[in-house]
Amino acid sequence: MKRDDIAKTYDPKLVEDSIYKQWEESGFFNPDNLPGTRKKSFTISMPPPNATGILHIGHAVMLAIQDLVIRYQRMQGKKALWLPGTDHAAIATQSKVERLIKEKENKTKHDLGREKFLQRVEEYVEQSRNTIKNQVKKMGSSCDWSRERFTLDADLNKAVNEAFKQMYQDELIYRGHRIINWDPNLQTTVSDDEVEYIEEQSPFYYFKYGPFEIGTSRPETKFGDKYVVMHPDDKRYKDYEHGQKIDLEWINGPITATVIKDKAIDMEFGTGVMTITPWHDAVDFEIAERHNLDKEQIIDFAGKLLPIADEFSGMPIKEARPRIVEKLKAKGLLAKVDKNYRHNIATNTRGGSLIEPQIKEQWFVDVNKKIKKLGGQSIKEKALGVVKNDDIKILPERFEKIYFHWLENLRDWCISRQIWYGHQVPVWYKGDKVEVGDKPTGAGWKQDPDTLDTWFSSGLWTFSTLGWPEKTKDLKTFHPTQLMETGYDIIFFWVARMIIMSTYLVEEIPFETVYLHGLIRDERGRKMSKSLDNIIDPLDTIKDYGADATRLSLLIGSTPGNDMNMSEAKVASYRNFVNKLWNISRYILMKVERPVLVTKSPKPKTLADRWILSELDELTELATKNLEKNNFSLVGEKIYEFTWSKLADWYVEVSKSEDEKDDILLFVLQNLLKLWHPFCPYVTEVIWQKLNTDSLLMIEPWPKVKTKIDKQAIKDFNLIQEIVVAIRNLRTESKLPPSKRLKIVIVSPKHAKLIKSESDIIKNLARLEDLEVSASAKKPAESLSAMVLGAEIYLPVSGMMDIGKEVKRLEKEVSRISEFTLHLEEKLKNQRFLERAPKDIIAAEETKLKDNKAQLAILKKNLKSLK
RNA sequence: GGGCGGUUAGCUCAGUUGGUUAGAGCGCUUGCUCGACACGCAAGAGGUCACUGGUUCAAAUCCAGUAUCGCCCACCA
């Protein structure tokens, strides 16, 4: 091949889109089209990005990891399915469209009405869904677009209705009045997991409440407080009896309070006495339930005070609070104010406004009800069980504990939302009659206006996307899936719910392994945010450095469960690497007579040949083993090292002076491309196509792992490398002109033969004009000699080595190994050890002892010669 | 309040079940236009592996404690 056929630098922009098109048109993203007989399937359900979102670095890392795995499995000959989709993200999408309509037309959703509004949302989603889809493609994602799903598809709606129906029939779903998290802004409930607590400083008031003093940060809720609660063991209040009535003056006049004794009270906090507001506080609600107390609503669902507040009725909380305090102060009921009080306030993670606990009738999933189908277990117990007995493995393992803790403390799950966009609750009413499931025949049925929590439908994702509740071929072939790869931040929202839903509805685990990646932070470890202006946009890095470099920078150096810092410099360094790989290929393609595929393992002719082939074997083995164990970063690092530090730095250099290496160069390159393909698919595919083949690298079989690896070749060549480096070093330090002849005296005759036979390589790599090698037991002469001792090389040139330091090191080593040798000898004399230990262990210890003795002898000899 | 994680080179991080001289990228120093590559090549400097104690022939790695940074869960009126 001529020089001009291949550009000097690799330009990803020129090829990425057309390569993706080629892959897509090949049809091989769809496992049904893959060649050969493939028995095993491997499925990944893609965590669906929000349909209205744009690709961010979190998506990029998830796509990079999943594409890596699915490409590897495809090359391993599996029916590899990566099923993509998008999520309707109910609350986020609805509020976004609401905002847009408000801005453009100054209308609210109520002005439009439910039907018209939903139409607008759908239009918006339709247009925006393509954006994210194209961005997913930019990363090189080899997912099966023919099976793409959207969480609101008709089929998926059917699945949701069926799931709801089954759960309702098993009495897992019930409707009831419970305290829920109400967002007065968005006018909907949110689940416990969506609530985020933010620390805030606000005044803490102490009011006189009859003979007591009560503390509160929320005076506006106190109108209806007629129960005063204290701990039964609190000696300060031992004179008050449970149920005792006390008349007292309160905000809007005299009331009668009732004393309640309850252990939920923290005696240490404040005065140890509090009044309760069961309608607007979860803990108070529980106390009220326990003692069967009255509950009264104080604040309406818009966040305004109700008529019970008398003159404050209709006032928003913010406005009312200072006035109420003012009034109490005027009545002499304000005892004191703590202005430095810090406490946590509840906010909605989807929208950010304050959460007001309210009592409301909602649909719930009972997580504790024992189910016949699950062998008398509750869905919670079942979900715990499958992870406890390792049917599902969570990586990293420490998240299993977190998962258990969350499940064990899980309360009933509120699944109804008062928003319009989403799966509508499949319950139908007509007078007193209630039907669940599909719309009943006949006129006059009205559907429940609420929609379901997004995570209810997302929980079905692994199987609803494969056709459930129909018994489809896909469901049979591809479920359970093998890998669930997602961020650790949604382990509760999503992972746990998929496990619950799947084990209950399909009676299968949804996936075998959960791989949790970390958050991507900026180079200083801060979260990426608009306000810090530290966002790294994967679309930008793809544009500037290529998709391969972007992928590599996200894959290498990231370990499961740990956050990873990302910087543009890192992407740039992998762009450099991709270019290096490109140039190695460029060199090989130019050097060989005919660039073709080499199918048979070539015969090595020289030590360097044996070495590079052995290194390749070792790399293949390591890569395969560790990809199976999901150690992606380690594998990437090792292939990187092989490519740059072994192939490019050594073998390519050797090949410049040795001929007839075409088959080996091509064979190594071709296998290296295969190993790299799951990490950086574009550049590898482009190079592959220059090997005069019509085949796609994407579906090439993964390199076979050799059972026998020539370790001697590796050892021998490493010695040659050491010698070359030592000579180069010698030359740099002593600033010798290149024409100078060098004489090398090998003191240890053990390696003399090897070095002699490889002296040409040494000469070429060290850029010597001439080199003389001789084996001798004599001490080396002055300055320009080198001596080889055992496996180590010492250059007795001034400044090269600190003899004293070296002697110390060797002495330390000698004493360490002698002690170890003694220890081993004793162990091998121990009767009990000999009787009980397995034979191979004993053998291993014996070899160890032998090795140690040999090493000790060499070390002692070295030490002597240095002295 | 409960739980978890980090602390390794100037910076950002690896370190695979304890085992030669603790690694990489970026940055730094010196020298290189040799036909694959300056997005490069060669050589090099730089680390008490947070601290203290313990287990072991052997500890960055295992155990206990301390310091410090961070995360998650619960939530207090």
Side-chain angles (χ1 to χ4, degrees):
Chain A
M1 209 173 272
K2 282 182 202 151
R3 303 191 54 215
D4 301 339
D5 291 350
I6 311 170
K8 229 172 163 177
T9 46
Y10 169 66
D11 187 353
K13 279 199 294 294
L14 297 179
V15 289
E16 288 186 350
D17 285 348
S18 74
I19 290 284
Y20 193 88
K21 211 172 145 210
Q22 241 177 299
W23 287 331
E24 210 177 356
E25 282 169 1
S26 76
F28 295 138
F29 287 173
N30 180 344
D32 299 337
N33 299 332
L34 286 169
T37 42
R38 293 170 183 245
K39 280 185 191 146
K40 279 191 184 166
S41 65
F42 194 100
T43 316
I44 303 176
S45 285
M46 182 191 293
N50 290 355
T52 58
I54 53 161
L55 194 80
H56 56 68
I57 199 85
H59 295 126
V61 73
M62 134 190 143
L63 294 171
I65 294 173
Q66 290 170 32
D67 193 46
L68 159 63
V69 174
I70 209 72
R71 281 181 189 271
Y72 167 70
Q73 294 294 347
R74 192 179 292 121
M75 291 173 85
Q76 276 288 5
K78 306 243 178 89
K79 265 184 267 183
L81 170 63
W82 186 17
L83 199 151
T86 43
D87 189 75
H88 66 281
I91 293 182
T93 307
Q94 168 160 335
S95 39
K96 193 165 189 172
V97 176
E98 262 187 276
R99 213 168 47 235
L100 284 173
I101 293 175
K102 181 93 197 169
E103 274 168 22
K104 274 193 201 153
E105 300 156 41
N106 198 24
K107 279 184 186 164
T108 67
K109 64 180 176 197
H110 299 284
D111 296 336
L112 293 170
R114 186 163 184 152
E115 214 166 297
K116 269 234 171 89
F117 176 75
L118 282 181
Q119 210 180 321
R120 293 288 294 273
V121 178
E122 272 157 35
E123 279 166 26
Y124 177 78
V125 168
E126 195 47 50
Q127 145 237 292
S128 142
R129 205 144 71 94
N130 264 322
T131 312
I132 187 92
K133 190 170 155 181
N134 285 323
Q135 290 169 339
V136 167
K137 289 182 179 183
K138 283 269 175 210
M139 283 292 292
S141 315
S142 62
C143 39
D144 182 3
W145 294 109
S146 73
R147 285 182 167 87
E148 185 194 356
R149 290 288 185 276
F150 176 53
T151 47
L152 279 187
D153 283 346
D155 288 356
L156 269 64
N157 185 249
K158 234 171 124 186
V160 166
N161 291 353
E162 178 63 25
F164 191 99
K165 190 175 163 187
Q166 284 192 25
M167 293 174 92
Y168 183 83
Q169 283 167 351
D170 269 344
E171 293 174 354
L172 271 176
I173 287 181
Y174 68 92
R175 200 177 188 208
H177 285 92
R178 292 283 182 284
I179 195 137
I180 45 90
N181 309 299
W182 181 256
D183 183 333
N185 232 348
L186 297 178
Q187 289 288 301
T188 182
T189 56
V190 297
S191 73
D192 292 345
D193 301 286
E194 282 164 327
V195 175
E196 189 178 19
Y197 291 89
I198 294 175
E199 198 178 66
E200 195 196 60
Q201 188 164 330
S202 65
F204 191 75
Y205 307 97
Y206 289 90
F207 297 123
K208 287 180 191 143
Y209 190 79
F212 308 107
E213 214 172 83
I214 58 153
T216 183
S217 59
R218 302 202 52 192
E220 69 278 7
T221 64
K222 296 290 154 198
F223 291 99
D225 289 10
K226 51 184 183 181
Y227 300 103
V228 57
V229 192
M230 59 211 70
H231 198 281
D233 300 339
D234 197 329
K235 288 184 187 117
R236 288 172 292 180
Y237 307 109
K238 62 180 192 315
D239 295 342
Y240 297 95
E241 305 249 328
H242 180 80
Q244 187 179 339
K245 307 270 183 207
I246 297 170
D247 291 317
L248 54 87
E249 178 65 23
W250 194 224
I251 312 173
N252 291 338
I255 59 160
T256 303
T258 308
V259 173
I260 301 293
K261 300 262 182 171
D262 193 285
K263 287 184 175 166
I265 301 296
D266 178 0
M267 287 189 274
E268 306 294 314
F269 189 88
T271 55
V273 183
M274 70 171 189
T275 59
I276 57 168
T277 316
W279 201 283
H280 299 292
D281 186 283
V283 174
D284 293 2
F285 178 84
E286 277 168 28
I287 294 172
E289 285 280 283
R290 264 199 293 279
H291 302 283
N292 213 3
L293 309 178
D294 299 338
K295 307 180 191 87
E296 197 165 4
Q297 187 172 14
I298 316 294
I299 299 161
D300 71 6
F301 291 103
K304 288 181 182 151
L305 289 165
L306 286 164
I308 188 175
D310 216 352
E311 73 218 63
F312 303 103
S313 172
M315 227 182 254
I317 293 167
K318 222 174 152 186
E319 222 175 286
R321 188 179 294 177
R323 298 191 194 193
I324 295 164
V325 174
E326 210 45 53
K327 182 168 179 188
L328 282 159
K329 193 177 173 188
K331 289 178 87 167
L333 294 174
L334 180 66
K336 60 178 174 188
V337 185
D338 177 1
K339 286 198 170 149
N340 297 318
Y341 180 67
R342 299 196 71 85
H343 69 144
N344 292 329
I345 52 162
T347 61
N348 181 3
T349 50
R350 331 261 150 193
S353 57
L354 285 182
I355 292 295
E356 183 64 60
Q358 292 272 10
I359 294 176
K360 208 165 190 299
E361 188 172 42
Q362 298 290 336
W363 290 98
F364 291 89
V365 171
D366 187 335
V367 296
N368 293 310
K369 186 174 173 67
K370 311 278 182 193
I371 301 294
K372 213 194 235 167
K373 192 167 140 186
L374 299 178
Q377 281 185 312
S378 66
I379 50 173
K380 180 167 154 178
E381 287 162 341
K382 183 72 192 173
L384 274 168
V386 291
V387 176
K388 278 212 164 116
N389 62 27
D390 272 355
D391 291 339
I392 297 175
K393 200 82 206 111
I394 300 179
L395 288 177
E397 212 165 323
R398 70 184 135 91
F399 278 93
E400 293 192 353
K401 255 193 259 174
I402 297 175
Y403 170 83
F404 294 145
H405 182 258
W406 180 82
L407 264 182
E408 279 156 10
N409 294 294
L410 184 64
R411 296 188 295 177
D412 284 1
W413 169 22
C414 174
I415 51 170
S416 43
R417 298 286 178 273
Q418 289 65 51
I419 56 174
W420 290 349
Y421 188 53
H423 293 283
Q424 205 168 336
V425 172
V427 178
W428 305 82
Y429 308 98
K430 183 165 144 186
D432 290 345
K433 282 190 272 185
V434 177
E435 286 285 332
V436 173
D438 297 330
K439 185 178 183 178
T441 45
W445 289 94
K446 276 194 102 175
Q447 188 169 7
D448 193 300
D450 285 357
T451 50
L452 289 165
D453 181 9
T454 341
W455 300 105
F456 187 90
S457 55
S458 305
L460 316 175
W461 189 243
T462 60
F463 50 93
S464 63
T465 52
L466 293 169
W468 188 88
E470 306 301 323
K471 290 197 170 95
T472 60
K473 203 179 142 206
D474 268 11
L475 189 63
K476 212 179 146 210
T477 314
F478 298 109
H479 203 270
T481 70
Q482 273 60 52
L483 181 71
M484 173 46 59
E485 196 285 328
T486 187
Y488 65 72
D489 50 330
I490 55 171
I491 179 170
F492 306 137
F493 288 124
W494 196 40
V495 175
R497 275 166 188 143
M498 282 190 285
I499 297 175
I500 288 174
M501 292 299 215
S502 184
T503 48
Y504 165 71
L505 289 165
V506 195
E507 295 178 69
E508 276 179 357
I509 51 167
F511 30 70
E512 292 165 4
T513 307
V514 179
Y515 181 101
L516 299 166
H517 64 248
L519 258 50
I520 309 297
R521 298 167 175 278
D522 78 353
E523 61 215 297
R524 282 156 59 189
R526 301 171 305 181
K527 264 190 186 168
M528 289 189 188
S529 71
K530 272 185 195 156
S531 55
L532 284 172
D533 194 28
N534 61 350
I535 293 178
I536 294 177
D537 184 343
L539 296 165
D540 288 344
T541 63
I542 290 172
K543 204 171 90 219
D544 297 340
Y545 303 103
D548 290 333
T550 303
R551 290 167 64 119
L552 286 168
S553 64
L554 291 166
L555 288 168
I556 300 181
S558 94
T559 43
N562 290 335
D563 292 352
M564 187 180 59
N565 296 3
M566 179 75 176
S567 64
E568 201 177 313
K570 198 172 169 189
V571 188
S573 86
Y574 284 106
R575 183 271 318 266
N576 295 355
F577 170 76
V578 168
N579 191 54
K580 184 77 184 181
L581 180 61
W582 173 261
N583 268 291
I584 293 168
S585 315
R586 180 169 184 256
Y587 165 80
I588 293 177
L589 294 171
M590 272 159 43
K591 160 113 182 154
V592 299
E593 234 162 81
R594 231 176 80 76
V596 287
L597 293 184
V598 178
T599 43
K600 266 190 192 160
S601 187
K603 283 256 177 311
K605 296 179 194 76
T606 65
L607 172 63
D609 295 349
R610 279 167 57 215
W611 168 72
I612 197 71
L613 291 173
S614 308
E615 288 281 7
L616 180 66
D617 288 341
E618 217 170 59
L619 177 69
T620 308
E621 189 197 9
L622 181 136
T624 310
K625 210 166 84 190
N626 282 286
L627 285 178
E628 295 292 341
K629 291 199 283 188
N630 301 309
N631 292 331
F632 314 122
S633 177
L634 174 72
V635 174
E637 273 174 60
K638 292 292 177 187
I639 314 179
Y640 183 102
E641 194 201 347
F642 175 88
T643 311
W644 205 318
S645 314
K646 288 176 181 166
L647 181 59
D649 289 351
W650 292 96
Y651 192 73
V652 162
E653 291 307 316
V654 168
S655 81
K656 284 177 181 170
S657 58
E658 287 183 2
D659 282 332
E660 295 176 30
K661 292 203 180 300
D662 285 14
D663 53 347
I664 295 179
L665 283 168
L666 286 168
F667 181 79
V668 172
L669 173 65
Q670 165 187 328
N671 280 289
L672 186 60
L673 290 175
K674 287 183 183 179
L675 295 179
W676 266 132
H677 183 71
F679 289 84
C680 41
Y682 285 114
V683 67
T684 48
E685 187 75 73
V686 174
I687 301 169
W688 185 261
Q689 296 188 356
K690 299 193 186 294
L691 291 168
N692 289 311
T693 170
D694 296 331
S695 71
L696 282 175
L697 177 56
M698 182 180 122
I699 51 157
E700 280 293 310
W702 188 253
K704 285 216 172 63
V705 177
K706 279 261 170 54
T707 44
K708 247 178 129 180
I709 293 171
D710 185 354
K711 301 246 179 180
Q712 191 58 44
I714 294 176
K715 258 192 181 164
D716 287 351
F717 196 79
N718 284 345
L719 183 69
I720 302 299
Q721 286 175 313
E722 269 182 70
I723 292 169
V724 169
V725 168
I727 295 170
R728 279 175 186 165
N729 193 349
L730 180 76
R731 292 173 47 80
T732 314
E733 291 297 312
S734 53
K735 299 203 179 355
L736 286 174
S739 59
K740 199 80 183 174
R741 282 174 66 127
L742 270 188
K743 186 181 180 183
I744 292 197
V745 180
I746 293 120
V747 175
S748 159
K750 192 178 162 192
H751 300 289
K753 215 175 133 191
L754 172 69
I755 295 165
K756 243 181 184 163
S757 69
E758 298 301 322
S759 61
D760 278 349
I761 289 188
I762 297 174
K763 203 169 74 182
N764 286 323
L765 291 175
R767 294 188 186 283
L768 296 173
E769 286 195 357
D770 201 2
L771 173 75
E772 196 181 306
V773 181
S774 66
S776 156
K778 271 193 294 183
K779 264 201 170 183
E782 297 300 302
S783 63
L784 296 184
S785 307
M787 69 169 169
V788 174
L789 297 168
E792 291 173 67
I793 179 160
Y794 301 114
L795 299 169
V797 173
S798 59
M800 276 312 294
M801 185 176 63
D802 185 339
I803 302 268
K805 204 173 153 191
E806 188 61 19
V807 167
K808 256 189 193 163
R809 190 184 72 79
L810 285 174
E811 276 171 349
K812 202 178 143 200
E813 192 73 5
V814 166
S815 77
R816 200 177 67 80
I817 295 186
S818 346
E819 272 182 73
F820 190 23
T821 309
L822 271 174
H823 170 77
L824 280 174
E825 273 171 350
E826 260 171 48
K827 198 171 179 186
L828 285 166
K829 277 183 206 153
N830 188 328
Q831 278 305 316
R832 282 180 62 180
F833 172 71
L834 291 172
E835 278 164 27
R836 295 186 190 188
K839 272 187 188 138
D840 50 328
I841 299 267
I842 297 173
E845 297 290 69
E846 274 168 355
T847 353
K848 246 191 223 169
L849 181 62
K850 226 170 112 189
D851 288 353
N852 267 327
K853 279 182 173 168
Q855 205 184 341
L856 202 56
I858 292 171
L859 283 172
K860 279 183 178 164
K861 206 170 137 194
N862 286 357
L863 200 55
K864 214 174 147 190
S865 79
L866 277 175
K867 278 178 176 167

